[in-house]
């Protein structure tokens, strides 16, 4: 058996986010195109250099981008939406960034989640254009690496099936035409790479781990048979990741030279499939054994055992040892962190450390010297040390999670009873108006917070400032005659960080950025220990706001599933248990708010849908424990206390059951851009609880007029009853400016008053 190490892809943002900075400087015209491209080249080469120094056998190229790799692929094939007025030939940067971000004349292409990650790609649009190869960028990257380092890198491309599946704009008939136009271009790109000396070409096909029906499997076969016929000389590594390969028995026989499987996220099914069907002798197996999605050091003894077990089950003669997916989903290096406690830091592995792990595993397997491998035993020691850390041994929390019972998931009375009681107690008008929580984070708010963080401002002065801003906005809301007020969230930067800093078990990094979309990067907190409620987190601000007004002020919390899905999460206990820990902590906060006299409490779950498994057959289990976690956080209140929740999407058709199962008294959802669809689905799946439809889009500075919002409300009342209907914008207002916010809310309240008169 021969072993080679490789990564499916490596982060491109740079340890100091120099990629992001260069990009944004170029957009601001602070860098010329030449200087910008030169900077990008430096970053590209530096990351190859790093991977070579670590000792990776096969370095990947083509995993770098100037914005997004799906967009790169689309542009490479001339898939430029007509509204950008492109005339053929090379696609200039101006057009490229136009598609990504929109320009004066044309709106940007849609952006959506890359499988089950928090990365978002640009959705290619097929409009029947004639496709052409505009530029073989992958070849350029391949040659660049050859020239700079004398290496034969492995070029990577998003594979034709995945690319086609994620492109929009075709129907069953035009899909055939689209694929027929696409395949010769893939062939051409691959041919040019082979001619230039590429030994291996990686085609990334994550779509092959989703649920595939028979026609889809057929299509995949046809695509790869066609490629094998037109470029028989190419060694294609068909790369899958994020889950186990669907239709293993059939797809494993595709006419390619190698297949990559994810033995981390798809471990059970891929192993089972290997056991049952084996692995073809004439192919190279690329085994994803180091987790490309998490930040934890791997137990290298276990990883080596996994590789051995895989070896036993295949007749392949060559094995690649690789990360389970591109390392783009993890930060670059733990070496950049200076403030983490050593026990934690030592148990972390970001992209660079993961590459080291790959090389160590390969060395270990080659030498077969079990006892002496230093790194292997070090990895076990680091994991063991963190396991013993007091932060993971809060017995009270463990006991509390173990003793959670089904009763803890239920409110005292059913919804109908609560609705009656709450109407009596709260005496809200028909169609109560409210907002989602945050108000504009003005430059002054941001500046003051940052001064306080840098200790240039005392705790007291900062608290005074936040209180002033809250007071000002309570007055604004009263003047607007909004019915249920919010305190405005001025003390929060971020929905998760704010709570993470006050709960136990969280750690925060300095430089652990990952790209979320385009140049936007996020720095998720790390949940590394037991999560427990330590101190009231929102009571002071909420009670203060409530003391200023006779109207109700909603308490505002981030839900357990959203906190989970927007963090890096410990892997030593099930995600469900971590979520229950968070839920139990939030339950205490909900109790504290109620005790402080807060009658309405909103628990946001915008990321509930984000965590859905890739295979639909696994949705049920996920929804079971996530719904229960939400209920655990919210059910321990009096019938009079009204629980709200909020979500930032409205794919209602396949989601109404779990949403209703949350048993929140009122739900607010983002519907302003698609209320027609929502109304259609509410026709089919009636919803009985309180529901606030987003009547205007907060993502744009535009101020909608009264009539527009009134129409949305009138239409909605065809499928919703008068006593369940709430009125609100479709998300929090923190990114908006003050004047447009006030103007839009004034129109919203006016529309509501008109509606009340019409009833
Ligand atoms: N309460 C949060 C806010 O208003 C909700 C944000 C969100 O849904 N993403 O900002
Ligand atoms: Zn939202």
């Amino acid at each position: 058996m021969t072993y080679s190490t490789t990564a499916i892809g490596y982060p491109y943002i740079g340890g100091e986010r120099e990629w992001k900075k260069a990009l944004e400087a170029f957009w601001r015209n602070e860098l010329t195109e030449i200087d910008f491209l030169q900077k990008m080249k430096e970053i590209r080469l530096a990351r190859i250099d790093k991977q070579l120094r670590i000792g990776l056998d096969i370095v990947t190229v083509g995993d770098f981008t100037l914005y997004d790799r799906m967009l790169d692929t689309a542009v490479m094939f001339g898939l430029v939406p007509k509204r950008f007025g492109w005339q053929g030939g090379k696609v200039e940067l101006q057009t490229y960034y136009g598609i990504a971000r929109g320009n004066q004349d044309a709106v940007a292409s849609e952006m959506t989640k890359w499988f089950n990650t928090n990365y978002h790609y640009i959705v290619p649009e097929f409009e029947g254009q004639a496709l052409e190869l505009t530029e073989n960028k992958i070849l350029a990257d391949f040659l660049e690496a050859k020239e700079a380092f004398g290496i034969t890198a492995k070029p990577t491309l998003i594979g034709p099936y995945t690319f086609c599946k994620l492109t929009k704009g075709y129907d069953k008939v035009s899909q055939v035409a689209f694929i027929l136009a696409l395949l010769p271009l893939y062939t051409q790109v691959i041919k040019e790479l082979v001619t230039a000396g590429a030994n291996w070409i990686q085609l990334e096909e994550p779509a092959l781990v989703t649920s595939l029906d028979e026609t889809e499997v057929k299509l995949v076969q046809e695509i790869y048979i066609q490629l094998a016929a037109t470029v028989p000389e190419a060694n294609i590594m068909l790369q899958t990741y994020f889950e186990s390969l669907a239709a293993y028995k059939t797809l494993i026989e595709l006419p390619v030279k190698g297949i990559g499987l994810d033995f981390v996220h798809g471990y059970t099914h891929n192993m089972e499939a290997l056991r049952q069907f084996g692995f073809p002798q004439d192919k190279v197996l690329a085994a994803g054994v180091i987790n490309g999605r998490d930040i934890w050091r791997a137990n290298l003894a276990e990883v080596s055992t996994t590789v051995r077990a895989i070896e036993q089950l295949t007749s392949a003669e060559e094995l690649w040892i690789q990360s389970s997916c591109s390392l783009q989903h993890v930060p670059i290096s733990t070496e950049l962190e200076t403030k983490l406690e050593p026990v934690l830091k030592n148990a972390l592995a970001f992209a660079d450390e993961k590459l080291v792990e790959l090389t160590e595993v390969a060395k270990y397997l080659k030498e077969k010297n079990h006892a002496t491998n230093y790194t292997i035993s070090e990895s076990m020691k680091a994991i063991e040390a963190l396991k013993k850390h007091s932060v993971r041994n809060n017995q009270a929390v463990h006991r509390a999670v173990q003793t959670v019972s089904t009763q803890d998931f239920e409110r005292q009375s059913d919804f109908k009873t609560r609705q009656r009681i709450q109407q009596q107690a709260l005496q809200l008008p028909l169609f109560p108006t409210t907002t989602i929580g945050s108000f504009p984070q003005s430059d002054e708010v941001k500046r003051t917070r940052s001064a306080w963080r840098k200790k240039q401002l005392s705790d007291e002065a900062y608290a005074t400032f936040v209180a002033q801003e809250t007071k000002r906005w309570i007055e604004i809301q009263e003047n607007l005659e909004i019915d249920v007020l919010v305190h405005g969230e001025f003390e929060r930067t971020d929905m998760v960080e704010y709570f993470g800093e006050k709960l136990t078990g969280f750690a925060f990094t300095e430089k652990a950025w990952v790209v979320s979309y385009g140049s936007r990067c996020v720095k998720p907190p790390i949940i590394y220990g037991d999560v427990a409620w330590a101190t009231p987190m929102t009571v002071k601000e909420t009670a203060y706001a409530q003391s200023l007004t006779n109207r109700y002020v909603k308490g505002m919390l981030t839900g357990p599933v959203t906190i989970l899905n927007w963090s890096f999460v410990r892997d030593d206990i099930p995600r469900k248990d971590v979520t229950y820990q968070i839920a139990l902590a939030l339950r205490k906060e909900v109790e504290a708010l109620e005790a402080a006299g807060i009658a309405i409490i909103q628990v946001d779950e915008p990321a509930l849908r984000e965590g859905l498994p890739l295979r639909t057959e696994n949705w049920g289990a996920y929804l079971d424990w996530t719904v229960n976690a939400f209920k655990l956080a919210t059910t321990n209140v009096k019938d009079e206390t009204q629980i709200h929740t909020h979500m930032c999407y409205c794919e209602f058709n396949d989601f109404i059951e779990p949403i209703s199962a949350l048993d929140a008294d009122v739900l607010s959802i983002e519907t302003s851009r698609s209320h027609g669809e929502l109304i259609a689905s509410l026709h089919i799946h009636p919803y009985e609880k309180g529901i606030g439809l987003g009547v205007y889009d907060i993502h744009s500075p535009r101020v909608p007029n009264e009539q527009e919002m009134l129409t949305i409300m009138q239409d909605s009342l065809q499928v919703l009853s008068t006593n369940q209907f709430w009125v609100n914008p479709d998300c929090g207002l923190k990114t908006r400016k003050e004047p447009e916010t006030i103007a839009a809310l004034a129109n919203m309240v006016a529309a509501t008053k008109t509606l009340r008169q019409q009833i």
Side-chain angles (χ1 to χ4, degrees):
M1 179 68 72
T2 57
Y3 307 96
S4 309
T5 51
T6 187
I8 294 175
Y10 183 83
Y12 45 78
I13 57 176
E16 303 291 335
R17 283 179 301 154
E18 41 287 30
W19 178 86
K20 171 201 174 74
K21 288 169 192 163
L23 210 60
E24 291 175 358
F26 175 61
W27 291 340
R28 285 193 305 264
N29 287 324
E30 291 165 15
L31 266 185
T32 64
E33 183 164 329
I34 292 176
D35 290 346
F36 167 65
L37 292 175
Q38 179 56 32
K39 181 77 199 156
M40 289 288 144
K41 179 173 176 173
E42 280 164 23
I43 297 173
R44 211 159 40 230
L45 292 179
R47 55 202 278 288
I48 296 179
D49 183 47
K50 174 109 79 73
Q51 295 177 74
L52 288 171
R53 275 190 285 120
I54 290 175
L56 217 55
D57 297 317
I58 308 170
V59 172
T60 306
V61 294
D63 56 345
F64 184 88
T65 179
L66 296 180
Y67 191 91
D68 166 59
R69 294 182 53 235
M70 276 296 284
L71 176 60
D72 294 348
T73 315
V75 159
M76 178 167 72
F77 296 142
L79 215 59
V80 177
K82 287 175 189 151
R83 61 184 181 279
F84 292 95
W86 170 69
Q87 301 291 331
K90 181 171 182 255
V91 177
E92 298 299 332
L93 280 183
Q94 209 185 348
T95 310
Y96 176 82
Y97 288 124
I99 306 170
R101 312 170 67 219
N103 60 28
Q104 288 300 334
D105 313 313
V107 294
S109 282
E110 198 185 312
M111 188 169 70
T112 197
K113 255 167 80 74
W114 178 246
F115 296 87
N116 58 355
T117 70
N118 288 336
Y119 178 72
H120 299 73
Y121 66 91
I122 300 289
V123 181
E125 299 173 37
F126 179 59
E127 300 170 319
Q129 313 93 311
L131 303 188
E132 64 174 78
L133 185 61
T134 60
E135 193 183 7
N136 192 343
K137 268 237 175 89
I138 312 287
L139 177 66
D141 287 358
F142 175 80
L143 293 172
E144 179 184 82
K146 188 170 216 162
E147 189 192 288
F149 302 102
I151 56 165
T152 304
K154 167 189 62 172
T156 186
L157 282 153
I158 291 168
Y161 179 72
T162 299
F163 183 72
C164 174
K165 182 144 184 190
L166 302 186
T167 297
K168 68 173 191 184
Y170 54 76
D171 56 23
K172 279 210 173 72
V173 182
S174 50
Q175 184 190 32
V176 178
F178 178 50
I179 295 176
L180 285 178
L182 201 58
L183 283 182
L185 301 180
Y186 267 98
T187 299
Q188 197 181 336
V189 170
I190 294 171
K191 255 202 177 114
E192 289 177 9
L193 285 166
V194 174
T195 310
N199 288 336
W200 281 98
I201 290 147
Q202 170 173 282
L203 294 181
E204 294 173 49
E205 292 283 17
L208 299 186
V209 309
T210 60
S211 308
L212 299 179
D213 66 24
E214 239 173 81
T215 355
E216 290 168 318
V217 172
K218 268 233 155 58
L219 180 61
V220 177
Q221 283 178 308
E222 279 162 16
I223 288 175
Y224 278 89
I225 288 170
Q226 171 83 13
L227 279 184
T230 51
V231 264
E233 65 277 31
N235 292 331
I236 289 178
M237 172 56 75
L238 178 77
Q239 202 62 260
T240 69
Y241 44 82
F242 297 152
E243 247 297 350
S244 58
L245 174 63
Y248 182 95
K249 186 168 183 264
T250 314
L251 296 183
I252 210 74
E253 298 298 339
L254 288 175
V256 290
K257 217 40 207 164
I259 295 190
L261 300 173
D262 181 340
F263 286 101
V264 177
H265 301 97
Y267 177 77
T268 314
H269 284 106
N270 276 336
M271 279 309 256
E272 181 52 39
L274 268 186
R275 236 171 253 130
Q276 230 183 320
F277 306 112
F279 188 87
Q281 194 173 2
D282 59 345
K283 290 187 176 49
V284 171
L285 172 58
V289 288
I290 293 288
N291 196 332
R293 299 280 295 273
D294 80 4
I295 51 162
W296 304 106
R297 207 163 162 173
N299 179 331
L300 295 184
E302 259 171 35
V303 172
S304 308
T305 309
T306 300
V307 179
R308 289 264 188 256
I310 294 167
E311 263 183 67
Q312 300 288 319
L313 296 169
T314 75
S315 37
E317 278 153 16
E318 192 181 337
L319 206 63
W320 287 8
I321 298 173
Q322 63 182 15
S323 53
S324 67
C325 60
S326 167
L327 295 171
Q328 130 178 37
H329 307 289
V330 295
I332 294 192
S333 170
T334 60
E335 272 172 27
L336 302 168
E337 300 302 324
T338 60
K339 295 191 179 134
L340 293 174
E341 54 173 314
V343 182
L344 170 60
K345 185 171 165 182
N346 202 26
L348 295 174
F350 297 170
D352 288 353
E353 292 76 26
K354 285 175 190 289
L355 294 183
V356 172
E357 290 182 332
L358 289 171
T359 59
E360 288 297 328
V361 169
K363 229 188 280 167
Y364 177 73
L365 291 166
K366 282 180 202 158
E367 290 166 6
K368 300 196 172 41
N369 190 353
H370 294 223
T372 56
N373 193 302
Y374 175 73
T375 321
I376 300 254
S377 56
E378 281 305 295
S379 76
M380 289 157 74
K381 270 192 226 152
I383 294 166
E384 203 45 41
L386 184 55
K387 193 171 158 193
K388 291 211 184 96
H389 191 306
S390 60
V391 79
R392 288 197 170 175
N393 289 284
N394 184 332
Q395 297 310 325
V397 169
H398 296 183
R399 232 173 298 119
V401 169
Q402 274 157 18
T403 51
V404 163
S405 76
T406 46
Q407 270 172 340
D408 299 326
F409 303 140
E410 302 309 323
R411 296 279 301 257
Q412 280 158 20
S413 306
D414 62 14
F415 170 71
K416 286 277 172 221
T417 312
R418 295 191 321 255
Q419 190 181 35
R420 213 173 352 95
I421 294 172
Q422 288 166 16
Q423 263 159 7
Q424 273 294 321
L426 299 171
Q427 293 288 326
L428 291 170
L430 204 56
F431 317 133
T433 51
T434 190
T435 61
I436 304 303
S438 58
F439 279 124
Q441 297 251 329
S442 61
D443 288 343
E444 195 190 1
V445 171
K446 287 188 214 157
R447 236 183 298 121
T448 313
R449 186 186 306 112
S450 122
W452 169 66
R453 291 236 180 221
K454 288 188 202 132
K455 305 223 183 312
Q456 295 158 355
L457 195 72
S458 71
D459 290 357
E460 230 169 49
Y462 178 62
T464 307
F465 172 79
V466 169
Q468 270 167 8
E469 197 65 5
T470 306
K471 183 159 187 273
R472 203 167 67 78
W473 272 94
I474 289 289
E475 278 160 18
I476 294 173
Q477 294 174 83
E478 284 196 316
N479 291 339
L480 286 165
E481 296 183 40
I482 291 175
D483 302 305
V484 173
L485 315 191
V486 294
H487 76 284
E489 301 182 22
F490 299 107
E491 73 287 8
R492 307 182 190 175
T493 29
D494 174 282
M495 293 179 70
V496 176
E497 187 182 65
Y498 180 78
F499 291 92
E501 283 177 344
K502 294 194 156 49
L503 293 163
T504 69
F506 285 75
F508 297 87
T509 58
E510 290 160 82
K511 304 254 164 90
W513 298 95
V514 288
V515 59
S516 163
Y517 67 87
S519 68
R520 191 181 149 77
C521 299
V522 292
K523 195 155 64 67
I526 300 174
I527 302 178
Y528 76 115
D530 294 325
V531 178
W533 184 88
T535 159
M537 300 179 279
T538 60
V539 175
K540 190 182 93 198
E541 290 80 4
T542 318
Y544 169 68
Q546 183 65 82
S547 75
L548 300 170
T549 173
N550 292 325
R551 295 170 187 253
Y552 290 105
V553 174
K554 260 195 292 195
M556 196 60 60
L557 306 176
T558 304
V561 187
T562 297
I563 292 183
L564 179 91
N565 282 339
W566 287 350
S567 301
F568 284 120
V569 183
R570 61 192 284 193
D571 63 349
D572 61 318
I573 60 172
R575 284 172 84 79
K576 172 182 158 188
D577 289 3
V578 179
T579 319
Y580 277 19
Q581 290 187 359
I582 305 168
L584 286 166
L586 291 170
R587 187 178 171 98
K588 290 211 174 120
E589 185 69 13
V590 168
E591 288 164 13
L593 282 169
E594 188 184 57
I598 302 302
I600 305 180
I601 300 166
Q602 178 172 312
V603 180
D604 293 328
E605 282 293 17
L608 177 63
R609 217 192 145 89
E610 263 175 36
L612 277 177
L614 286 174
R615 298 266 174 86
T616 41
E617 68 257 31
N618 299 332
W619 281 26
Y622 169 82
L623 288 170
D624 254 2
W625 61 259
T626 49
V627 166
N628 281 341
F630 178 87
K631 289 162 95 180
L632 191 55
T634 53
T635 46
N636 197 23
V637 289
K638 297 180 290 194
D639 283 341
E640 287 84 342
T641 300
Q642 191 169 64
I643 297 290
H644 288 218
T645 189
H646 165 71
M647 291 173 193
C648 298
Y649 40 77
C650 67
E651 289 105 329
F652 232 59
N653 273 330
D654 56 357
F655 219 51
I656 195 145
E657 239 177 83
I659 287 181
S660 178
L662 295 175
D663 204 23
D665 297 303
V666 180
L667 156 75
S668 59
I669 44 167
E670 183 171 307
T671 47
S672 60
R673 278 179 293 184
S674 53
H675 74 279
E677 269 164 53
L678 181 85
I679 287 165
S681 42
L682 284 171
H683 254 302
I684 309 167
H685 315 273
Y687 187 78
E688 59 156 11
K689 293 168 184 147
I691 181 164
L693 294 190
V695 295
Y696 81 87
D697 178 11
I698 60 92
H699 302 89
S700 145
R702 186 173 158 270
V703 176
N705 64 37
E706 185 186 330
Q707 186 54 46
E708 259 172 72
M709 292 192 257
L710 186 62
T711 309
I712 292 186
M713 296 178 202
Q714 287 162 336
D715 291 352
S716 310
L717 283 174
Q718 292 171 9
V719 288
L720 295 170
S721 67
T722 47
N723 72 343
Q724 70 178 136
F725 191 57
W726 284 64
V727 175
N728 48 259
D730 73 357
C731 197
L733 294 157
K734 66 167 164 241
T735 54
R736 295 272 59 89
K737 298 265 180 279
E738 183 164 329
E740 74 216 23
T741 300
I742 294 177
L745 290 174
N747 291 349
M748 182 184 92
V749 173
T752 310
K753 286 183 181 163
T754 311
L755 186 71
R756 284 177 190 146
Q757 276 162 10
Q758 290 173 350
I759 295 299

